[in-house]
Amino acid sequence: METTIQLYVNGKMHTVQVHPSTPLLYVLRNQLALNGPKYGCGLQQCGACMVLLNGKAEPSCMLPVSAVNNKTIITLEGLAQKDTLHPVQEAFVQEQAAQCGYCMNGMVISAVALLNENPKPSDAEIRAGLERSLCRCGTQSRIIKAVKRAANIKG
Amino acid sequence: MNRRNFIKNTGCLAIGFSISGSFIDAPSPMMQELPESIKRHPNINAWLEVLANGQVRIFTGKLELGQGISTAISQVAAEELDLTMENVEIVLADTLRTPDEGYTVGSGSIEQSAMAVRFAAAAARHKLLELAAQQLNVSVDQLTMKEGKISTITGDRSITFNQLLNGKQITDKIQAPVTLKPKENYKLVGKAIPRNDINRMVRGEQFYIQDLRFPGMVYASIVRPPAYEAKLLHLDEKALQKNIPGILKTVVNGSFIGVIAKEEYQAIKAQRWLQKHSKWSAGTQLPAGTDLVTYLKTLPVQTKRDNEKGSMPTDTSSFIKAQYFKPYHMHASIGPSCAVGIYENGRLHVWSHSQGIFPLRESLAKLLQLKIEQIDVTGVPGSGCYGHNGADDAAADVALLAMAYPGKHIRLQWTREEEHAWEPYGSAMIMEVAAVLDSSGKINSWQYDLWSDTHSTRPGGNANNLLAAQYYSTPLKEKQGFSGGGFRNSEPYYSFPNYQVNGHMFKGPLRTSALRSLGAYANVFAIESFMDELAEKAGKDPFTFRLMHLTDERAKAVIRKVQELIADVKQAANTGIGIAFSRYKNSAAYCAVAAQVQVQPKEGTIKVQKMWAAIDAGEVINIDGLINQTEGGMIQSASWTIMEQVRFDAQHISSRDWVSYPIMRFSQIPEVEVAVLNQPNEKAMGAGEAAQGPAAAAIANAVYKVGGKRIRHLPLHKR
Ligand code: FES
Ligand code: FES
């Protein structure tokens, strides 16, 4: 049975009519028309669907929407302040850290969560922070550079 | 975005008009060969239009696959017309709007589409100058062009592109010779112009096929058989309706089953339910549990001598021999295939990330028995595909559903499992090499035999190769694919006095098609591994040994460059560096790769620490794009080489997710460094596939350096 669920996404309260077992990803993409979180596996194995859940990067593809109605959700679309990109987004542009870019959502969201907790991560910490996210185009070296740039780490 | 807007955007009318007089000011000194695409679409307005806001819109028949082609093509156009990048917009492959440029494959988009646009833009430039000269009543050499405006040198008078054309477009034919902008005047081409699409991706703007949304759009899923060629025996549609809410239609045709639902998650649940509650025949058994190399060698083959030179000695007993193997690999796109389709008023419109929307349209027409004119296919970027993945199949699936459920946009998103288990893989290959050295340590004779399945079963205008066609009511016979892909880079680029290359083409157990670089990956892995083995026998270092067998200076230059890049690298314990070289297709980009690996002495764990590439792709259009593609190529190839292998059991593919088909994660990713040897006066060549082969061999050669263990069968890491 569909129920009414309230979701706090990107600073706004949204009311949706969905089956409570529907994974958050489908609600964000189909009901709220957001493009940031992407479907990659639906199995919590690739990171394409990452969102910030109370500030932590979490895959949204298996998370029932009913479990997140009291959490703060931020998607890729919610990172920029008006026209100013979040420093992590800006760094991805500067480093041109994409080929197809399909993985970028997971990478940016994971990096934002990582830098919130650890503003000056080591190379190994950056890799660990992004480990859940897959990239098939082989852009990882640029993604690592982008995270370093966002953290203002030289080299 | 809705369909009306799509059509509105396409409503640009081109009105033909002609003005006498040639727009060529100086005949080219050489006979100029126009790009193939121009021969097929000779009119300027097939390639570009001047918009009402003064911007120039470029049309390409190629699709953005993450290779940065839209930026490269825009750069070339902006350069010839002295525009800024902001003044140019680009329309990608669309049967309604763009020229037909076949498939976006083989690193051919720079050579074909970018060059076609270069000629079209140059021809447009001359035409515009001609028009301006008439309007302003001066000679062409008294005019300059900048940002959509043509002015007299004195600066007293000027006129915009728009004022000149007055809403019309330039319909003149592009005819050789076309004078191109002198390269020394380039401001954009060759530079690291940032990609505009990255700006959109990073904001989560609508960009991918997955992001298309239409009013009233419904969602679909397909129920796959449990095995290749399994037939549907029983399906309880009524029980499905009872158990899963939101089902709008179940489409069953032969063994093809699709479900259309109101919500996406309902379509997924229906798929899962039907997978459990349908009965199928057993289908084709796969040769599980047998050694794949041994098994493939038992298959009947078609043998072809592809290449030979000199005469091979009859007695080959003194030859040094080795056998190499590459398993089946997956494209493994991060975003599984997706398509949107609608059938209304007798017309079918499909949105697809296929690499060839024009051939796809033809294939769909045959599959659905529609006329080509009844079908529109719009190319929309998807997740990187690296060859022929499930994109065309998903488009065919959605087309079948759209025909059965007209009037609504239907969106089909393949699941991870479908993509992993049903995409056409890169074929497994066996390579056997034998060679003999002369007294000076040079290779005298070289015998090369390869075993491979087809590397191309793209639909190519036929319906048969579309996955759905195999399960539709009257299954279409699978078309024999093009087997030539297996030969790619099988002929040695080194100068050996005598050599022979034979291909033995089998029909293997798994579905196969084009994966980035086709046979080149495996052939270069084998040839370049063997070159190291022979170098050791000859008592030469790998650089010297390669250089003494090469005559092409550009080939030597990339090898020397890579040698220079690693000259000062210090080796820690358990690490070593290997190198390899190839010229892609023996006719495109030159690439030499060095890889530094660490091998744990006890566990044998291999870690690729760093990779270097030196690449010469002729004239560079966008240097950062070229570097990005080469970095990515090395990393992807490292993943294939170290750990990838499609697994199957007797029933079907068992590599169905990222656990059963792991690819490299961040902790395993090497550092990468790329040096580009720009050749502004040479032909521009695509480079997207150049690193795949050399990267593999460089890693295997490095592993040998560290532990003295020569691994000839991939993946290097056995699980
Ligand atoms: S889509 Fe959620 S982790 Fe892959
Ligand atoms: S850029 Fe294509 S998957 Fe990462």
Side-chain angles (χ1 to χ4, degrees):
Chain A
M1 265 306 281
E2 288 191 354
T3 49
T4 305
I5 291 181
Q6 295 219 312
L7 287 178
Y8 191 62
V9 182
N10 297 335
K12 266 198 223 119
M13 197 58 104
H14 297 266
T15 307
V16 290
Q17 281 285 334
V18 281
H19 196 282
S21 70
T22 310
L24 174 62
L25 175 65
Y26 301 107
V27 179
L28 295 174
R29 290 195 59 88
N30 300 338
Q31 263 78 22
L32 305 188
L34 293 167
N35 302 309
K38 304 231 171 4
Y39 173 74
C41 66
L43 303 163
Q44 298 188 337
Q45 293 175 354
C46 77
C49 61
M50 288 287 184
V51 296
L52 289 173
L53 214 60
N54 288 350
K56 285 216 180 326
E58 295 290 352
S60 63
C61 61
M62 291 180 83
L63 202 62
V65 63
S66 54
V68 294
N69 63 349
N70 50 3
K71 303 228 164 107
T72 301
I73 301 162
I74 294 175
T75 71
L76 191 61
E77 289 90 341
L79 292 177
Q81 302 288 329
K82 294 226 175 72
D83 284 341
T84 317
L85 290 179
H86 184 283
V88 170
Q89 289 172 306
E90 186 57 43
F92 270 69
V93 175
Q94 292 299 326
E95 294 291 340
Q96 294 281 291
Q99 285 175 66
C100 79
Y102 198 85
C103 66
M104 197 194 268
N105 172 70
M107 302 299 177
V108 170
I109 294 284
S110 302
V112 168
L114 170 71
L115 296 183
N116 280 346
E117 261 182 31
N118 180 0
K120 293 275 176 251
S122 66
D123 189 85
E125 286 168 335
I126 293 175
R127 288 169 184 261
L130 299 174
E131 188 73 358
R132 283 186 295 177
S133 292
L134 289 174
C135 171
R136 186 52 160 173
C137 295
T139 318
Q140 289 94 336
S141 61
R142 286 178 178 229
I143 293 167
I144 294 170
K145 280 188 200 147
V147 179
K148 287 185 180 166
R149 178 189 276 264
N152 243 319
I153 301 169
K154 300 235 159 37
Chain B
M1 198 179 324
N2 60 40
R3 184 153 187 263
R4 209 151 276 139
N5 276 341
F6 260 102
I7 288 171
K8 212 160 66 194
N9 288 339
T10 68
C12 255
L13 280 187
I15 303 156
F17 68 110
S18 67
I19 282 161
S20 56
S22 159
F23 52 78
I24 313 298
D25 27 37
S28 161
M30 285 180 296
M31 262 302 276
Q32 196 178 44
E33 177 78 19
L34 289 175
E36 272 310 307
S37 300
I38 293 242
K39 292 181 191 156
R40 268 178 281 130
H41 304 276
N43 297 18
I44 293 176
N45 65 325
W47 299 95
L48 65 89
E49 285 175 357
V50 175
L51 305 182
N53 63 5
Q55 293 199 327
V56 170
R57 179 185 281 156
I58 303 298
F59 299 96
T60 168
K62 304 285 183 179
L63 190 59
E64 179 64 59
L65 313 170
Q67 79 283 46
I69 193 66
S70 21
T71 306
I73 292 176
S74 303
Q75 263 173 280
V76 165
E79 189 71 75
E80 292 299 326
L81 286 162
D82 281 313
L83 296 164
T84 63
M85 288 296 283
E86 292 71 37
N87 284 328
V88 177
E89 65 167 62
I90 187 158
V91 175
L92 302 167
D94 189 336
T95 59
L96 284 165
R97 308 173 76 182
T98 70
D100 175 1
E101 292 192 273
Y103 283 103
T104 307
V105 294
S107 303
S109 300
I110 292 269
E111 276 172 59
Q112 297 155 21
S113 201
M115 292 307 117
V117 167
R118 173 176 280 174
F119 278 89
R125 175 194 184 90
H126 294 294
K127 181 73 183 189
L128 289 162
L129 285 171
E130 185 95 355
L131 291 172
Q134 290 182 359
Q135 288 271 327
L136 302 176
N137 215 0
V138 292
S139 63
V140 165
D141 57 10
Q142 293 302 302
L143 293 172
T144 63
M145 184 181 278
K146 199 181 169 199
E147 290 176 31
K149 209 155 87 179
I150 297 172
S151 316
T152 53
I153 292 178
T154 50
D156 56 339
R157 276 169 308 149
S158 66
I159 187 162
T160 65
F161 289 1
N162 250 322
Q163 290 165 332
L164 281 170
L165 295 175
N166 202 11
K168 295 177 191 154
Q169 295 300 340
I170 312 172
T171 55
D172 297 47
K173 280 206 166 50
I174 305 158
Q175 275 163 341
V178 181
T179 306
L180 302 172
K181 186 173 187 176
K183 302 206 172 190
E184 55 276 17
N185 296 350
Y186 278 177
K187 294 192 185 74
L188 298 168
V189 167
K191 300 266 155 56
I193 302 292
R195 279 171 53 182
N196 184 32
D197 47 3
I198 294 183
N199 267 311
R200 295 177 53 198
M201 294 166 181
V202 86
R203 290 177 161 84
E205 283 178 22
Q206 199 172 43
F207 182 82
Y208 302 94
I209 182 145
Q210 283 86 355
D211 303 334
L212 290 176
R213 293 181 191 90
F214 297 90
M217 185 167 82
V218 293
Y219 299 86
S221 61
I222 306 292
V223 182
R224 301 287 162 198
Y228 286 131
E229 283 172 51
K231 299 267 170 301
L232 178 66
L233 302 174
H234 177 75
L235 179 90
D236 192 347
E237 264 188 78
K238 282 221 182 76
L240 170 72
Q241 293 280 0
K242 225 181 274 160
N243 283 281
I244 310 289
I247 306 300
L248 301 169
K249 181 151 181 111
T250 312
V251 180
V252 184
N253 196 322
S255 297
F256 174 85
I257 311 169
V259 183
I260 302 166
K262 214 172 114 254
E263 298 289 348
E264 182 169 14
Y265 194 53
Q266 292 166 337
I268 296 169
K269 283 204 278 201
Q271 181 195 49
R272 289 180 191 154
W273 193 91
L274 284 174
Q275 258 153 4
K276 281 204 202 99
H277 296 89
S278 54
K279 287 207 180 62
W280 297 80
S281 71
T284 317
Q285 270 234 336
L286 298 180
T290 52
D291 173 58
L292 193 53
V293 179
T294 318
Y295 174 79
L296 294 176
K297 277 293 205 73
T298 66
L299 296 175
V301 290
Q302 275 187 334
T303 291
K304 186 182 157 212
R305 165 89 28 97
D306 192 56
N307 255 296
E308 61 187 327
K309 189 184 154 196
S311 60
M312 296 293 289
T314 37
D315 177 17
T316 59
S317 55
S318 60
F319 275 40
I320 305 156
K321 296 187 175 117
Q323 183 197 60
Y324 300 88
F325 171 68
K326 176 233 152 191
Y328 289 99
H329 283 161
M330 246 178 228
H331 299 81
S333 301
I334 295 300
S337 297
C338 181
V340 177
I342 183 168
Y343 182 70
E344 67 181 347
N345 308 326
R347 294 189 69 77
L348 175 71
H349 194 155
V350 172
W351 288 261
S352 169
H353 53 115
S354 161
Q355 288 179 292
I357 54 151
F358 286 91
L360 172 62
R361 174 169 67 163
E362 233 181 296
S363 309
L364 291 179
K366 288 187 187 138
L367 179 72
L368 307 168
Q369 288 162 1
L370 291 175
K371 290 199 195 72
I372 286 185
E373 303 74 50
Q374 285 175 279
I375 306 177
D376 305 315
V377 184
T378 299
V380 188
S383 177
C385 63
Y386 332 105
H388 176 202
N389 67 353
D392 295 275
D393 298 324
D397 292 341
V398 98
L400 286 167
L401 299 178
M403 299 302 291
Y405 192 74
K408 290 259 183 218
H409 287 90
I410 303 172
R411 176 185 188 272
L412 171 67
Q413 170 67 66
W414 276 23
T415 61
R416 169 53 47 208
E417 184 176 349
E418 280 176 278
E419 189 79 29
H420 263 54
W422 292 94
E423 67 144 286
Y425 310 109
S427 177
M429 284 173 71
I430 300 164
M431 290 71 59
E432 289 181 354
V433 208
V436 68
L437 302 171
D438 67 17
S439 53
S440 69
K442 277 187 101 172
I443 296 165
N444 176 274
S445 300
W446 171 278
Q447 170 78 39
Y448 190 88
D449 284 83
L450 69 93
W451 283 257
S452 177
D453 200 340
T454 174
H455 290 261
S456 181
T457 57
R458 293 181 188 280
N462 283 295
N464 312 17
N465 284 338
L466 295 165
L467 186 58
Q470 301 303 315
Y471 300 96
Y472 214 42
S473 43
T474 42
L476 299 159
K477 271 259 171 306
E478 195 175 344
K479 200 186 106 218
Q480 189 56 42
F482 168 67
S483 59
F487 284 112
R488 190 168 285 181
N489 277 91
S490 60
E491 189 187 357
Y493 199 66
Y494 300 102
S495 45
F496 305 149
N498 312 296
Y499 67 78
Q500 216 174 68
V501 178
N502 300 312
H504 312 277
M505 300 304 166
F506 58 77
K507 175 79 202 83
L510 308 188
R511 182 180 186 220
T512 62
S513 193
L515 172 61
R516 195 174 189 177
S517 88
L518 312 190
Y521 167 80
N523 288 323
V524 173
F525 163 67
I527 292 173
E528 288 295 297
S529 294
F530 201 53
M531 283 300 281
D532 257 37
E533 297 198 41
L534 294 175
E536 190 180 20
K537 290 269 187 315
K540 303 266 194 292
D541 75 84
F543 286 107
T544 313
F545 191 68
R546 283 177 174 78
L547 291 170
M548 67 193 234
H549 286 96
L550 283 168
T551 48
D552 185 337
E553 287 306 321
R554 289 171 73 182
K556 291 186 191 174
V558 290
I559 293 178
R560 291 200 181 104
K561 185 70 200 178
V562 127
Q563 190 168 20
E564 196 184 305
L565 291 176
I566 61 168
D568 297 326
V569 180
K570 305 252 177 324
Q571 289 312 320
N574 304 322
T575 68
I577 293 186
I579 61 144
F581 156 81
S582 90
R583 180 175 191 195
Y584 186 52
K585 299 185 195 169
N586 285 349
S587 62
Y590 300 82
C591 184
V593 172
Q596 173 175 273
V597 305
Q598 183 183 50
V599 185
Q600 294 304 338
K602 274 217 197 86
E603 310 85 33
T605 326
I606 300 164
K607 177 154 197 311
V608 188
Q609 297 178 314
K610 178 148 189 191
M611 301 182 84
W612 298 260
I615 185 160
D616 167 357
E619 180 199 4
V620 174
I621 306 295
N622 187 319
I623 189 147
D624 192 54
L626 177 56
I627 292 172
N628 198 356
Q629 282 281 289
T630 310
E631 290 172 348
M634 285 196 284
I635 291 174
Q636 185 178 68
S637 177
S639 180
W640 292 356
T641 306
I642 296 281
M643 59 203 299
E644 293 186 29
Q645 167 176 28
V646 176
R647 292 170 180 276
F648 51 85
D649 54 29
Q651 193 177 33
H652 197 57
I653 309 301
S654 52
S655 296
R656 287 170 175 248
D657 59 19
W658 297 119
V659 174
S660 47
Y661 191 85
I663 63 172
M664 268 192 182
R665 287 186 183 266
F666 269 91
S667 54
Q668 298 151 298
I669 298 290
E671 250 183 83
V672 285
E673 188 179 325
V674 176
V676 176
L677 282 74
N678 190 3
Q679 310 276 10
N681 296 315
E682 298 287 347
K683 192 171 93 168
M685 299 180 289
E689 297 162 293
Q692 306 308 110
I699 295 171
N701 289 339
V703 169
Y704 177 75
K705 271 265 174 64
V706 184
K709 193 167 153 206
R710 172 61 61 184
I711 307 177
R712 300 190 183 91
H713 287 202
L714 297 177
L716 297 176
H717 250 172
K718 305 282 183 292
R719 276 198 295 158

